[in-house]
Amino acid sequence: MFCNGQPADAAALGAALVNYGHFTSLQVRGHAVQGLDLHLQRLAHATQALFGSVLDEGQVQRWMAQALHLAGVADASLRVTVFSRAFDFRAPLATVAADVLVAVSAPVRLSAARAVCSVRYQRDLPAIKHVGTFGLFQQRREAMAAGFDDALFLTAEGLVSEGSTWNIALHDGQQLVWPQAPALRGTAEALLRQHWEQPQVVRAVDSVELDAIQAAFACNASGIWPLATIDGRALAGSEALAGQGRAVMAGVPWQPLRA
């Protein structure tokens, strides 16, 4: 772990324990990232929203590349967390400089099919990938305790929004459907929507429509995986649909991390 380009010490990590900040998670292969610009834009936008300050995207990219170099790896999972040692919850409107924590871990690629259950839940500030993850992890835990693999979130009005740590794409037999509801719009979703050449649409999806869905997959920066069932209803076409998604992502260029 590295904070502002230096090995993270106890002082930096102690400040990062404050439950106020945001992050992005990404996969690196051969010192390159799919959707690197989207990850950096996400960090810059959220830094302005939470701290009122401007994030130097170029510096963040250099710190990411440096962390890989110091860890001696070209393939990895990176989590880039933005917090502020100057943030004071008693004066939250103050504009404060951001600190950047880069954590390097082993690369992953998610692909196994999952069974999910729908629950009515919405994260705070759903458009921001913030560090307040207690609620969504608890929803996943409760889903697993009930015999499922994960939770699919619905709004209070019953609209499909997102999974615990992933976005969802549905197929209604004619086109790919991206649910329109308050949610974190992921980098994988953005890349798939940009490069998907078959019919697709973004629209509100009521939970009652799930009974007619023929296939679905989940996606985030760690991969694409089929949803075998939703609320116990089997989706026979999900494996094939996820395969289409992976084929699309295979053609998305990797952007090099520049030191």
Side-chain angles (χ1 to χ4, degrees):
M1 300 182 74
F2 305 88
C3 184
N4 300 338
Q6 301 297 320
D9 57 17
L13 293 177
L17 292 177
V18 176
N19 193 33
Y20 192 79
H22 62 92
F23 70 101
T24 196
S25 297
L26 49 97
Q27 294 297 308
V28 182
R29 301 293 185 271
H31 296 283
V33 179
Q34 286 182 311
L36 175 61
D37 53 341
L38 300 177
H39 286 283
L40 293 172
Q41 290 166 19
R42 165 188 282 169
L43 293 173
H45 169 76
T47 298
Q48 181 66 48
L50 297 187
F51 301 112
S53 54
V54 176
L55 187 69
D56 186 336
E57 296 180 35
Q59 181 64 76
V60 172
Q61 182 177 176
R62 289 189 290 274
W63 283 336
M64 292 163 65
Q66 180 187 34
L68 290 171
H69 173 73
L70 294 175
V73 296
D75 299 345
S77 299
L78 288 187
R79 170 170 165 148
V80 183
T81 303
V82 178
F83 66 106
S84 177
R85 286 178 282 190
F87 177 76
D88 185 346
F89 70 90
R90 290 157 294 207
L93 293 180
T95 298
V96 292
D99 295 290
V100 178
L101 186 68
V102 180
V104 184
S105 58
V108 299
R109 177 63 66 188
L110 301 178
S111 61
R114 295 183 184 177
V116 303
C117 62
S118 60
V119 297
R120 295 198 182 232
Y121 177 79
Q122 182 173 296
R123 297 182 305 109
D124 294 331
L125 293 177
I128 292 180
K129 193 176 179 72
H130 54 75
V131 297
T133 55
F134 175 88
L136 61 90
F137 291 156
Q138 180 63 20
Q139 292 296 329
R140 172 182 280 174
R141 185 175 188 274
E142 292 178 6
M144 295 180 72
F148 298 91
D149 297 313
D150 213 331
L152 172 63
F153 298 156
L154 310 176
T155 68
E157 298 76 25
L159 298 179
V160 177
S161 59
E162 60 184 335
S164 60
T165 59
W166 38 272
N167 295 112
I168 183 172
L170 310 165
H171 204 284
D172 61 7
Q174 297 182 329
Q175 60 190 350
L176 196 67
V177 180
W178 298 97
Q180 186 178 50
L184 177 68
R185 303 266 69 98
T187 57
E189 176 187 307
L191 292 172
L192 283 164
R193 287 173 57 181
Q194 178 182 349
H195 294 276
W196 192 270
E197 295 183 351
Q198 299 181 37
Q200 62 176 320
V201 65
V202 179
R203 65 170 178 84
V205 178
D206 194 282
S207 58
V208 299
E209 297 182 59
L210 293 174
D211 288 339
I213 291 299
Q214 300 183 10
F217 64 71
C219 62
N220 61 24
S222 296
I224 296 173
W225 58 97
L227 297 182
T229 68
I230 298 178
D231 294 329
R233 181 179 176 274
L235 302 176
S238 291
E239 287 281 358
L241 186 66
Q244 293 178 40
R246 294 188 197 108
V248 170
M249 288 299 291
V252 174
W254 291 74
Q255 298 173 277
L257 273 170
R258 305 192 183 280

